[in-house]
């Protein structure tokens, strides 16, 4: 039986959402936290009944998202991210150190029940990798010594306060990162003092159509990865349906190598909220959601507080924002999966059409935009589309956040106009550590570029396409000669196999099969026939439409590029 | 309207999907997650085709036909993708058809045969969950499950028993009963809809296992004898023993669309049961003896007349059975009302 005070909180959640089923995920998390980080079957059943779903649904949700512990974990759940940026920055050493120190492997719990160790995926903080997440808390820029101190403290039962993460980033444009180094930048007072909510004031004097038109004219392309023009998308919104319109901010920040949205939400939450209020006015939405990845628990708290401040300061008008926390699923960054997740379901993509702009959240017209996209709206409205277009060039307008991680001296998030030379970005990030071998420029799902292909590369949508890759989310991962590409390919496909939602066959079984093949290869047991099978899988999955959502291509493209461009490294490992 | 499939112009009907139009015109496209009753899910990706003017591959189960549409179901890239799907399905489970109950009636097998796949090209899968034999009538072997989702959709939206769902994710996705209970310990009512709709041998009728191959069994259409709904069913009879081996619902029956309840689907052992009465019995001195129908009816009539004369018509009540037809029930109430003269007549289905 859940305690009354937990039930009261679940009741509040139920009342807050348009549909009570949406309370399922936060309710399960509340129950888990109240029960020593363990989600019991009884609690699951009780909550299922309370929010009106079947127990099968609740179980399906609890086992879909990685953050629900349906098996008991230790008092301290040590989660070490070893995704590509982390690996490039020494996380495997940290993991090995912890294994030795605790005497357990990943996936195991110490005999005294104090520690459970897990190897996890990218935590959207790649600039400060290695990151160790203990229960809800991030410890960044970890080294073996710091890890030792952390474990010693935990053994004494003390969760140390995490150090402020090292911040190298910089801005040339002074928009999205303007307040990054400002003290108390999350408070509405500071935000306003630095010119915040001026755009909203202006927007309140404008007709919705005029706001939409300004955004359209700015030609801003979605910053979530696909680069679809935001104004055009808003224009697709189904009109006159009599149904509510929802605005959803995609703060899932799941693409490995991407850690830019965090900078906005953690350090300048009101910029996002202002952008959402203005955008909501443009599209006629009365209720917005921020879907934030579950690991960013403290950032969600910052956003919750900022929403309250904005409300108290009468900034929201008749618009409201619900901060909805994910629970560990990369695919929930895909907009229809994200919508399913807000609806309290397993975050699996839907068939399209219908597109969200026609039938999205709760079957109503819905606009989904990335954090960075929405946070750019205040500038576009306050200064005008023409000012925005002064950054970048045609079809690639505006300022953009680039997260640089991996083998560089100053990993961090950098704000530059679209189209800056890659070289300049790399220099800003302190240049490569060691001898530059290759770079992945747009998050893990884009094709890798060899060092010699970087010559003349500019960082924008069209220039990247010309070079055979994509700008994606702007997550740049720099790889030096120390690293073997087959090993990186193996870690990459492990990520996708782990994150495949399991809805469609080619993605779920294709990714899993490639894990097996590359695993064999790294052990020196693979034959050419194995690699041929891999090539066949990749070739077919890479075909648009062979999988239900783009995740299939998201792994086929990078593996294909790694295999083709570094073929000799793969061949060398054959039996 | 006219559409072109693989170079041939054919007739299609507004509202059809490309898959439906193809099948109606005799062109098979592998498809495993689509079923008329649960609709398109876009999950298996076996049904992909190329359509002129549309980018990449399209799932034929979800795209509606348009006049003049040009479809290629066997282009190289469509075939490659179809083959990959079937290959991966075969690879990721234990598809040892020899021993499988569904052999000869399996949609995965049909697809593999059509595509010329003799055996899976990769064998890296290793799921090893034991079989779930806890249910009285249904047998579950997850190693053969291809996660098509039909059973989950059917259990939740067709029969609305809301037991099945998917748990976990990625390669580890599997069907679960409630909170991953054993089927026999779950809230399942054993309607068998999941077994009816499963395209492969992952959920099958337990008591039919090993009792005959699909091609050996004679199919006889009949009406369920249990209640007034009158579900249409198909008896699978072993011609050698003349015994019913299993029962399936008839999918195109307007009464039940293939659905049955636990009684209609699994309660057929009474048919050949030795305790079953085959002739009327009359009790004399505490002992039953066999009698002819004439004698039995004669006896009942005389006894009823006796009771009516002595205590009046209202001392008699007629109780009709749900197992007989509407017409028979009509005749029965007529008998009670006009023959005996009382309104004391009811029907067991109302109790
Ligand atoms: C597998 C997958 C993961 C994605 N992850 C994210 C993400 O973490 N954040 C994000 O903003 N967009 C993500 N996207 C893109 C979204 O589907 C969507 O295009 C985007 O949120 C739209 O916003 P934008 O137009 O402002 O970029 C992802 C897409 C896919 C297919
Ligand atoms: S490609 Fe298929 S399995 Fe992979 S994430 Fe998308 S829908 Fe899920
Ligand atoms: S499910 Fe189909 S393919 Fe698999 S073993 Fe049975 S008959 Fe063969
Ligand atoms: S037998 Fe019926 S109730 Fe039981 S799981 Fe199957 S469909 Fe659901
Ligand atoms: S058990 Fe059968 S119907 Fe259910 S998902 Fe598996 S293959 Fe499909
Ligand atoms: S946070 Fe470590 S890899 Fe992204
Ligand atoms: S039948 Fe079309 S995707 Fe399965």
């Amino acid at each position: 039986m859940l305690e009354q005070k937990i039930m009261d909180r679940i009741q509040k959640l139920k009342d807050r959402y348009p549909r009570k089923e949406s309370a399922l995920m936060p309710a399960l998390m509340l129950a888990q936290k109240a029960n020593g980080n363990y989600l019991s079957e009884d609690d699951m059943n009780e909550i299922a009944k309370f929010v009106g779903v079947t127990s099968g649904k609740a179980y399906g949700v609890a086992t879909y998202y990685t953050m629900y512990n349906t098996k008991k974990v230790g008092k301290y759940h040590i989660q070490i991210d070893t995704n590509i940026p982390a690996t490039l920055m020494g996380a495997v050493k940290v993991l090995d150190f912890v294994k030795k120190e605790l005497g357990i492997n990943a996936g195991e719990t110490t005999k005294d029940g104090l520690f459970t160790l897990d190897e996890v995926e990218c935590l959207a903080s790649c600039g400060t990798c290695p990151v160790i997440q203990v229960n809800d808390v991030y410890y960044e820029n970890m080294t073996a010594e710091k890890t030792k101190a952390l474990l010693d403290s935990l053994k004494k039962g003390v969760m140390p306060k995490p150090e402020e993460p090292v911040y190298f980033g910089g801005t040339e444009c002074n928009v999205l990162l303007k307040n990054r180094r400002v003290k108390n930048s999350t408070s509405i007072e500071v935000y306003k003092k630095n010119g915040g909510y001026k755009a909203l004031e202006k927007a309140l004097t404008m007709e919705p159509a005029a706001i939409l038109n300004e955004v359209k004219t700015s030609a801003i392309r979605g910053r979530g990865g696909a680069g679809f023009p935001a104004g055009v998308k808003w224009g697709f919104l189904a009109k006159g349906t009599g149904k509510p319109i929802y605005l959803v901010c995609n703060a899932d920040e799941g693409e490995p190598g991407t850690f830019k949205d965090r900078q906005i939400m953690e350090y300048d939450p009101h910029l996002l909220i202002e952008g959402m209020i203005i955008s909501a006015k443009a599209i006629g939405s009365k209720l917005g959601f921020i879907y934030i990845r579950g690991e960013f628990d403290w950032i969600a708290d910052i956003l919750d507080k900022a929403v309250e401040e904005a409300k108290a300061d009468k900034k929201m008008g008749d618009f409201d924002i619900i901060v909805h926390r994910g629970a560990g699923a990369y695919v929930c960054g895909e907009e229809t999966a994200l919508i399913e997740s807000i609806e309290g379901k397993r975050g699996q993509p839907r068939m399209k059409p219908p597109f969200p702009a026609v039938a999205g959240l709760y079957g109503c017209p819905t606009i989904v935009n990335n954090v960075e996209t929405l946070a750019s709206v205040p500038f576009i409205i306050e200064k005008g589309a023409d000012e925005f277009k002064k950054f970048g060039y045609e079809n690639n307008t505006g300022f953009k956040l680039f997260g640089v991680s991996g083998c560089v001296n100053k990993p961090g998030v950098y704000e530059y106009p679209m189209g800056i030379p890659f070289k300049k970005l790399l220099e800003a990030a302190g240049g490569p550590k060691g001898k530059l071998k290759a770079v992945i420029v747009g998050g893990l799902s884009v094709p890798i570029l060899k060092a010699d292909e970087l010559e003349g590369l500019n960082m924008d949508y069209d220039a990247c396409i010309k070079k055979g890759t994509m700008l994606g989310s702007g997550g740049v991962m720099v790889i030096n000669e120390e690293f073997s590409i087959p090993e990186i390919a193996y870690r990459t496909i492990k990520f996708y196999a782990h994150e495949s939602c399991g809805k469609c066959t080619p993605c779920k079984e294709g990714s899993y099969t490639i894990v097996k093949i590359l695993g064999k290869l790294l052990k020196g047991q693979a034959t050419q026939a194995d690699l041929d099978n891999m090539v066949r899988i990749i070739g077919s999955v890479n075909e648009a439409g062979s999988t239900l959502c783009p995740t299939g291509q998201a792994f086929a493209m990078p593996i294909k590029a790694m295999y083709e461009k570094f073929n000799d490294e793969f061949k060398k490992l054959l039996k | 309207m006219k559409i072109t499939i693989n170079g041939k112009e054919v007739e299609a009907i507004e509202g059809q999907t490309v898959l439906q139009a193809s099948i109606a015109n005799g062109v098979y496209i592998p498809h495993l997650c689509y079923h008329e009753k649960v609709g398109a899910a876009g999950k298996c990706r076996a049904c992909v085709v190329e359509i002129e003017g549309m980018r990449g591959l399209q799932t034929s189960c979800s795209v509606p036909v348009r006049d003049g549409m040009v479809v290629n179901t066997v282009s190289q890239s469509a075939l490659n993708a179809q083959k990959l799907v079937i290959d991966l399905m075969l690879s990721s489970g234990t598809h040892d058809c020899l021993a499988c109950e569904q052999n000869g009636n399996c949609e995965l097998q049909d697809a593999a045969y059509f595509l010329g796949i003799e055996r899976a090209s990769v064998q890296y899968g290793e799921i090893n969950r034991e079989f779930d034999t806890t249910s009285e009538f249904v047998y579950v072997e997850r190693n053969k499950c291809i996660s098509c989702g039909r059973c989950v959709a059917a259990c939740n939206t067709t029969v609305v028993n809301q037991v099945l769902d998917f748990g976990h994710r990625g390669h580890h996705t599997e069907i679960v009963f409630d909170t991953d209970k054993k089927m026999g310990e779950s809230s399942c009512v054993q309607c068998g809809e999941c077994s009816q709709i499963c395209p492969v041998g992952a959920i099958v009728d337990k008591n039919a296992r090993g009792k005959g191959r699909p091609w050996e069994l004679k199919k006889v259409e009949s009406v369920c004898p249990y209640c007034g709904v009158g579900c249409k069913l198909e008896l699978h009879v072993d011609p050698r023993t003349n015994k019913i081996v299993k029962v399936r619902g008839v999918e195109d029956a307007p009464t039940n669309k293939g659905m049955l309840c636990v009684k209609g689907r699994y309660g057929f052992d009474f048919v050949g049961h030795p305790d079953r009465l085959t002739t009327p019995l009359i009790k004399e001195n505490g002992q039953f003896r066999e009698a002819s129908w004439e004698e039995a009816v004669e006896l009942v009539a005389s006894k009823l007349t006796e009771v009516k004369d002595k205590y009046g018509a209202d001392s008699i009540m007629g109780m009709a059975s749900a197992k007989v037809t509407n017409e028979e029930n009509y005749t029965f109430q007529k008998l009670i009302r006009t023959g005996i003269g009382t309104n004391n007549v009811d029907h067991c289905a109302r109790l």
Side-chain angles (χ1 to χ4, degrees):
Chain A
M1 277 291 283
L2 284 160
E3 272 180 65
Q4 193 53 45
K5 68 172 199 276
I6 302 285
M7 289 312 262
D8 291 344
R9 288 182 67 185
I10 298 176
Q11 180 63 48
K12 275 214 190 87
L13 285 165
K14 244 169 87 173
D15 297 341
R16 182 133 168 74
Y17 286 98
R19 293 207 189 150
K20 60 185 191 314
E21 296 84 353
S22 288
L24 178 63
M25 283 177 61
L28 291 174
M29 195 48 84
L30 278 175
Q32 171 166 310
K33 284 190 179 170
N35 187 32
N37 222 0
Y38 167 62
L39 181 56
S40 72
E41 190 182 327
D42 286 347
D43 288 353
M44 224 186 281
N45 280 322
E46 195 178 342
I47 289 169
K49 206 182 229 163
F50 193 65
V51 304
V53 301
T54 67
S55 54
K57 281 262 161 335
Y59 181 84
V61 163
T63 55
Y64 180 84
Y65 299 95
T66 54
M67 287 173 65
Y68 296 114
N69 299 320
T70 51
K71 292 200 183 76
K72 287 212 162 99
V73 293
K75 181 170 175 207
Y76 299 112
H77 188 191
I78 314 259
Q79 298 151 87
I80 303 184
D81 140 39
T82 58
N83 206 297
I84 302 303
T87 293
L88 295 170
M89 294 161 83
V92 177
K93 278 186 214 110
V94 171
L95 175 68
D96 288 343
F97 177 81
V98 175
K99 280 186 192 167
K100 219 173 90 205
E101 193 75 4
L102 299 179
I104 52 172
N105 276 318
E108 294 175 355
T109 302
T110 51
K111 281 212 189 74
D112 58 6
L114 205 52
F115 296 102
T116 296
L117 177 61
D118 270 317
E119 194 177 342
V120 298
E121 298 301 347
C122 174
L123 294 166
S125 303
C126 321
T128 46
C129 272
V131 182
I132 300 182
Q133 188 188 346
V134 182
N135 301 342
D136 289 345
V137 182
Y138 275 34
Y139 295 91
E140 301 173 55
N141 308 105
M142 293 308 278
T143 57
E145 295 90 79
K146 284 198 206 167
T147 307
K148 172 103 178 74
L150 173 64
L151 292 178
D152 286 347
S153 171
L154 294 176
K155 280 176 194 159
K156 287 188 207 122
V158 181
M159 285 273 285
K161 197 176 159 347
E163 286 170 26
E164 189 57 28
V166 176
Y167 178 64
F168 286 120
T171 172
E172 195 183 275
C173 313
N174 237 354
V175 182
L176 301 170
L177 295 182
K178 179 174 133 192
N179 294 324
R180 179 60 180 81
R181 288 185 198 273
V182 174
K183 248 187 118 191
N184 291 331
S185 57
T186 58
S187 92
I188 194 166
E189 291 315 319
V190 174
Y191 181 68
K192 286 199 295 192
K193 212 166 70 208
N194 286 342
Y197 286 114
K198 285 269 160 51
L200 178 61
E201 251 170 56
K202 185 172 168 194
L204 289 177
T205 67
M206 294 166 74
E207 285 299 315
I211 303 174
L212 197 153
N213 196 44
E214 206 62 34
V215 172
K216 216 177 233 170
T217 312
S218 79
I220 181 171
R221 292 173 65 169
R223 304 305 199 219
F228 194 81
V232 177
K233 190 194 294 190
W234 294 7
F236 287 155
L237 209 60
K239 287 175 196 75
T241 60
K243 291 180 183 168
I245 294 166
Y246 296 112
L247 174 66
V248 178
C249 169
N250 189 341
D252 196 51
E253 188 125 276
E255 183 72 21
T258 314
F259 52 107
K260 63 187 181 74
D261 297 337
R262 173 177 170 185
Q263 306 302 323
I264 297 172
M265 295 187 289
E266 187 171 359
Y267 299 96
D268 212 359
H270 284 285
L271 182 65
L272 172 60
I273 290 166
E274 184 177 7
M276 285 185 72
I277 302 171
I278 298 171
S279 306
K281 178 166 181 191
I283 63 171
S285 170
K286 300 279 171 262
L287 183 58
F289 291 83
I290 301 176
Y291 185 93
I292 183 165
R293 59 180 297 155
E295 296 87 345
F296 279 172
D297 197 41
W298 80 99
I299 305 179
D301 290 342
I302 293 175
L303 289 169
D304 269 332
K305 186 168 152 264
V307 170
E308 287 314 312
E309 280 182 341
K311 263 190 213 165
D313 204 38
K314 306 253 177 334
K315 292 284 181 271
M316 306 270 290
D318 57 356
F319 180 59
D320 196 3
I321 295 176
I322 297 178
V323 179
H324 186 90
R325 294 158 206 232
Y330 163 69
V331 170
C332 285
E334 194 281 336
E335 52 186 7
T336 58
L338 184 155
I339 286 169
E340 289 277 296
S341 187
I342 298 181
E343 290 183 1
K345 301 177 188 152
R346 290 158 64 79
Q348 295 184 317
R350 294 176 179 171
M351 275 197 288
K352 295 185 201 174
F355 288 89
V358 175
L361 185 58
Y362 310 123
C364 302
T366 303
I367 291 295
V368 183
N369 274 126
N370 172 256
V371 172
E372 191 185 345
T373 314
L374 292 167
S376 300
V377 169
F379 180 96
I380 295 170
I381 296 307
E382 191 187 344
K383 304 275 164 45
D386 289 337
E387 278 305 305
F388 182 79
K389 288 200 310 204
K390 283 187 185 155
F391 298 96
Y393 67 104
E394 204 195 337
N395 208 26
N396 297 274
T397 55
F399 31 79
K400 171 87 191 85
L401 296 181
F402 300 99
V404 189
S405 65
C407 312
V408 289
N409 290 306
K410 291 168 152 189
V413 176
Y414 296 85
E415 181 178 23
Y416 277 107
M418 278 285 183
I420 58 138
F422 174 76
K423 234 180 171 164
K424 187 168 167 188
L425 182 62
L426 188 60
E427 266 161 34
K433 242 189 200 166
K435 186 160 182 278
L436 185 66
K437 178 174 185 175
V439 177
I440 302 168
V441 296
L444 196 54
S445 59
V446 311
I448 193 168
L449 294 177
K450 294 170 85 162
D452 58 17
E453 291 176 288
L454 298 165
E455 203 46 54
L457 170 70
N458 290 338
M459 294 300 285
D460 62 71
Y461 297 104
D462 293 340
C464 286
I465 296 269
K466 266 197 216 113
K467 287 274 184 187
T469 187
M470 292 185 298
L471 185 67
S473 59
V476 178
M477 289 162 271
V478 178
I479 302 165
N480 73 16
E481 290 284 355
E482 275 173 49
F483 293 91
S484 112
I485 301 299
E487 274 178 34
I488 289 187
Y490 179 61
R491 187 62 187 83
T492 299
I493 196 65
K494 267 176 81 172
F495 166 74
Y496 287 101
H498 182 257
E499 298 300 333
S500 165
C501 83
K503 190 164 177 175
C504 74
T505 319
C507 170
K508 87 179 166 95
E509 301 303 348
S511 57
Y512 181 79
T513 305
I514 300 175
V515 168
K516 294 284 165 186
I517 294 175
L518 288 180
K520 252 175 111 177
L521 183 77
L522 293 184
K523 285 196 211 120
Q525 294 166 356
T527 61
Q528 186 59 44
D530 288 315
L531 288 184
D532 291 345
N533 258 326
M534 180 178 88
V535 169
R536 187 169 68 99
I537 295 170
I538 290 166
S540 208
V541 172
N542 209 8
E543 192 91 21
S546 68
T547 52
L548 176 63
C549 89
T551 303
Q553 279 124 288
F555 72 75
M557 279 185 300
I559 301 293
K560 183 169 189 280
M562 288 180 203
Y563 181 68
E564 284 171 359
K565 294 184 184 180
F566 297 90
N567 196 264
D568 48 338
E569 288 189 36
F570 287 82
K571 289 278 158 69
K572 250 187 243 154
L573 294 168
L574 284 175
K575 190 153 97 178
Chain B
M1 70 175 81
K2 294 254 189 280
I3 66 170
T4 305
I5 303 177
N6 302 342
K8 202 171 139 217
E9 200 177 71
V10 296
E11 198 60 47
I13 303 162
E14 180 77 42
Q16 269 181 331
T17 61
V18 172
L19 178 65
Q20 286 165 336
S22 297
I23 288 173
N25 284 289
V27 180
Y28 171 73
I29 306 169
H31 58 281
L32 288 151
C33 64
Y34 170 76
H35 187 283
E36 210 184 340
K37 232 172 348 189
V38 294
K43 265 169 91 18
C44 74
R45 315 305 287 182
C47 71
V48 289
V49 298
E50 285 195 81
I51 299 174
E52 262 178 33
M54 294 175 90
R55 200 179 75 91
L57 297 166
Q58 300 291 330
T59 42
S60 57
C61 65
S62 65
V63 178
V65 288
R66 263 182 299 100
D67 195 30
M69 195 178 236
V70 180
V71 182
N72 190 345
T73 71
V74 289
S75 73
Q76 201 52 54
S77 79
L79 276 181
N80 283 349
Q82 294 171 8
K83 278 185 186 161
L84 180 68
V85 166
I86 303 304
D87 196 354
L88 288 171
M89 282 177 174
L90 292 172
S91 305
S92 59
T94 41
H95 293 284
D96 36 12
C97 303
L98 279 185
C100 183
E101 191 54 30
Q102 203 77 345
N103 189 7
N105 192 25
C106 170
E107 295 175 38
L108 177 59
Q109 211 180 43
D110 292 345
Y113 184 76
F114 171 78
L115 294 168
I117 301 174
E118 283 182 35
R119 50 183 57 81
S121 63
V122 285
Q123 267 297 354
Y124 304 106
E126 80 288 284
I127 346 156
N128 238 333
R129 276 192 62 141
E130 72 240 43
F131 315 139
D132 185 345
T133 58
T134 55
S135 162
E136 183 82 23
F137 298 118
V138 187
Y139 178 89
V140 184
E141 185 181 349
R142 288 184 173 80
N143 291 333
K144 295 195 186 339
C145 172
I146 53 170
S147 287
C148 71
R150 282 191 197 174
C151 60
V152 174
C155 186
N156 285 285
T157 59
T158 310
V159 290
V160 204
N161 286 325
Q162 304 185 315
V163 183
L164 274 167
D165 220 299
F166 278 117
H168 308 277
R169 75 179 186 206
H171 168 78
H172 304 285
T173 304
E174 59 182 23
I175 51 160
V176 292
F177 301 93
D178 299 333
T179 46
D180 200 16
K181 292 264 190 275
K182 292 274 183 218
M183 189 179 198
E185 287 149 23
S186 74
S187 60
C188 165
V189 299
Q190 303 193 57
C191 69
E193 175 68 9
C194 48
S195 154
Q196 169 102 12
I197 208 167
C198 179
V200 295
I203 304 188
V204 296
D205 294 341
K206 185 170 154 185
N207 298 329
R209 294 184 69 239
K211 300 244 173 76
R213 293 301 199 182
W215 58 87
E216 294 174 324
L217 302 174
K218 202 164 90 193
K219 320 285 186 304
V220 184
E221 277 200 3
S222 185
V223 174
C224 174
Y226 277 106
C227 88
V229 175
C231 294
K232 203 166 172 189
L233 32 82
E234 185 186 59
L235 310 173
H236 292 216
V237 182
D238 183 343
R240 293 162 298 201
T241 56
N242 201 30
K243 288 250 163 69
I244 299 172
V245 168
K246 75 170 167 188
V247 173
R248 296 190 44 95
V250 174
E251 284 295 333
D252 57 10
T255 37
N256 56 313
K257 294 211 164 70
M259 290 176 271
L260 294 172
C261 75
V262 61
K263 293 183 291 178
R265 193 183 297 276
Y266 298 120
F268 53 81
D269 51 351
F270 74 90
V271 175
H273 201 280
D275 287 354
R276 194 174 168 192
L277 298 187
T278 50
T279 168
L281 300 177
I282 292 176
K283 202 178 214 173
E284 275 171 0
N285 308 322
Q287 289 285 319
F288 279 116
R289 70 163 171 84
E290 293 192 351
S292 71
W293 280 105
E294 289 75 22
E295 189 191 357
V297 171
E298 201 58 49
L299 179 68
V300 170
S302 70
K303 291 274 184 196
L304 284 177
T305 316
E306 209 179 298
V307 172
K308 183 180 163 184
D309 288 348
K310 201 156 161 198
Y311 303 105
D314 281 346
S315 63
I316 297 175
M317 178 187 184
M319 179 60 67
S321 165
K323 284 200 192 189
V324 299
T325 63
N326 214 17
E327 291 78 0
E328 287 163 325
N329 271 315
Y330 177 80
T331 322
F332 181 76
Q333 63 83 33
K334 204 81 184 161
L335 169 75
I336 300 292
R337 287 204 169 100
T338 59
I340 295 188
T342 176
N343 280 327
N344 291 345
V345 59
D346 212 329
H347 185 281
C348 75
R350 288 188 352 107
L351 296 180

